[in-house]
Amino acid sequence: MIKNGELGLLVRMVAAYVGSIIGAGFASGQEILQFFMLFGYKGLLGVVVATVFFAYLGAMVLYLSVKFRSVNYQPVLTYLLGPWGSRLMDGLNLFMLTGGLGIMLAGTGAVINQYLGLSPWFGIGVALITIFIVVLNGLQGFLTVNVLLVPVKFLAICLITVLVLGMYGLPTNIPELNKGVSGNWFLGTLLYISYNIPLAVLCTTGRIINKRIAITAGLLGGLGMGLSIGLVALSGLVFYPEVANYQVPMLFISSQVSQLLKPLFAFIIWLAMLTNAIANTHAIASRLAPQGGRRYSFIGMAVCLIVLPLTYLDFPTLIRVLYPLFGLAGMVLLGSLLIVPVRSKIY
């Protein structure tokens, strides 16, 4: 049972969990299209499976974080993969976090340029200033910004879904195209889960929460993710298969309700990129400066400046090159987290 004094921290933990996963691909609808919608109604079965997995994985990662009182992912990785495996995964994880940060910063510029006609550097600049403010406030700054921004993204998704279903009703006669990632709805769901395990972010909170908050936040965060995925998938299936022809499905969906909603969702996509970039920056700084303080802030700001050359590259190209690596590493982590209850008496 969560005590009254713990409720605020629980809410911030749930927001941090959801915020670290809902990035540009999710907010644009492209991830949900590729991994769920393209399988028709079977994709909705995938949503149920993903919800269960995210609830379990969130609770397990946070439980292990508290168990090892971790301030970054190193102790948990060592427990899961052993000393040699953890060193390899540590290097790959830092590479993925840095690459992901570059992708998100490039995206903040691309969205501003494409939908507002402004210089990409305006979007990137605003994102950098926001990230700098957050890292100057450490872990508490990271948790606070998520509890402020994540509900905005979630409410926007709810608004679009309610309006779509109210105007068009539930989707009917959905064909099964089977053209999504992997060609199989279950395997596609596992792949989606594997590269969205927020290990690096959640493991930074092991010293500020207890086991009760850890397990509850993991379960609620997983349910929140499942609900978010389900809402996007359901609204997309209303316009299925036509929605599959658009690079940014959620902008197409919102335009079917009202053209006035397109700027709103352009902002939501930018916001999703920002919160994802903040999560990656926090994870990198926590790994390289576990003691926090000025070193944490310095590394957080420095790594943002170091990845700026990546923003000159094409946004889709960055995703195409780096995301397969994310999925490969994620499958290893997924497997190791699934066997934790079997290999150890953790309860």
Side-chain angles (χ1 to χ4, degrees):
M1 193 72 181
I2 299 297
K3 300 176 182 178
N4 289 335
E6 298 173 336
L7 187 58
L9 182 56
L10 173 65
V11 171
R12 289 194 290 169
M13 289 299 303
V14 173
Y17 183 7
V18 176
S20 63
I21 297 177
I22 298 183
F26 184 103
S28 68
Q30 189 59 231
E31 281 184 359
I32 310 305
L33 172 69
Q34 293 296 330
F35 288 94
F36 299 98
M37 290 186 214
L38 289 180
F39 297 111
Y41 272 119
K42 285 186 178 179
L44 295 180
L45 293 177
V47 174
V48 175
V49 172
T51 303
V52 173
F53 268 83
F54 278 128
Y56 166 79
L57 293 170
M60 179 59 70
V61 170
L62 284 170
Y63 176 90
L64 292 175
S65 300
V66 174
K67 178 184 176 74
F68 296 110
R69 292 185 52 79
S70 62
V71 293
N72 58 42
Y73 57 79
Q74 272 191 307
V76 177
L77 270 186
T78 302
Y79 172 76
L80 293 173
L81 304 176
W84 290 102
S86 64
R87 287 193 193 101
L88 177 62
M89 188 61 73
D90 181 27
L92 184 56
N93 213 34
L94 280 173
F95 172 76
M96 292 192 306
L97 289 168
T98 305
L101 175 58
I103 289 173
M104 291 304 113
L105 286 178
T108 59
V111 168
I112 290 295
N113 179 252
Q114 184 174 351
Y115 296 107
L116 296 181
L118 300 174
S119 167
W121 285 105
F122 178 79
I124 295 170
V126 174
L128 283 175
I129 291 170
T130 307
I131 294 171
F132 289 174
I133 292 172
V134 172
V135 298
L136 285 172
N137 289 279
L139 175 59
Q140 295 303 323
F142 167 71
L143 293 175
T144 299
V145 77
N146 273 284
V147 84
L148 293 175
L149 299 183
V150 169
V152 176
K153 294 188 290 185
F154 183 74
L155 289 174
I157 292 171
C158 290
L159 172 65
I160 293 296
T161 305
V162 169
L163 291 175
V164 165
L165 296 181
M167 294 174 65
Y168 296 93
L170 290 170
T172 56
N173 300 320
I174 303 298
E176 183 183 332
L177 296 183
N178 266 341
K179 293 181 180 179
V181 174
S182 81
N184 176 275
W185 70 269
F186 185 73
L187 183 56
T189 300
L190 290 183
L191 286 172
Y192 179 76
I193 296 164
S194 72
Y195 81 79
N196 277 299
I197 302 173
L199 181 82
V201 172
L202 296 184
C203 285
T204 66
T205 62
R207 294 186 182 179
I208 66 168
I209 60 175
N210 55 40
K211 291 179 182 178
R212 182 171 52 249
I213 294 178
I215 294 173
T216 306
L219 293 175
L220 291 179
L223 292 175
M225 274 307 305
L227 180 58
S228 300
I229 296 169
L231 290 174
V232 174
L234 201 57
S235 60
L237 287 174
V238 171
F239 304 104
Y240 187 84
E242 184 183 3
V243 70
N245 298 321
Y246 292 86
Q247 289 190 348
V248 186
M250 285 307 291
L251 284 180
F252 165 72
I253 293 168
S254 61
S255 69
Q256 299 306 297
V257 176
S258 171
Q259 289 293 328
L260 296 176
L261 290 177
K262 287 185 72 173
L264 168 65
F265 243 89
F267 172 70
I268 294 301
I269 293 171
W270 183 88
L271 206 60
M273 292 176 172
L274 173 63
T275 54
N276 223 226
I278 290 171
N280 282 23
T281 305
H282 168 67
I284 294 168
S286 296
R287 164 62 185 84
L288 299 178
Q291 71 277 18
R294 292 181 180 178
R295 180 176 168 80
Y296 166 94
S297 300
F298 173 78
I299 290 176
M301 291 187 284
V303 74
C304 288
L305 298 177
I306 289 170
V307 301
L308 283 182
L310 289 177
T311 62
Y312 286 100
L313 299 178
D314 182 55
F315 181 58
T317 300
L318 284 171
I319 293 177
R320 188 166 56 250
V321 171
L322 294 177
Y323 269 37
L325 286 174
F326 297 2
L328 178 62
M331 288 298 283
V332 176
L333 286 176
L334 178 60
S336 61
L337 284 165
L338 288 176
I339 65 172
V340 166
V342 177
R343 63 183 281 241
S344 173
K345 296 178 180 179
I346 63 170
Y347 296 106

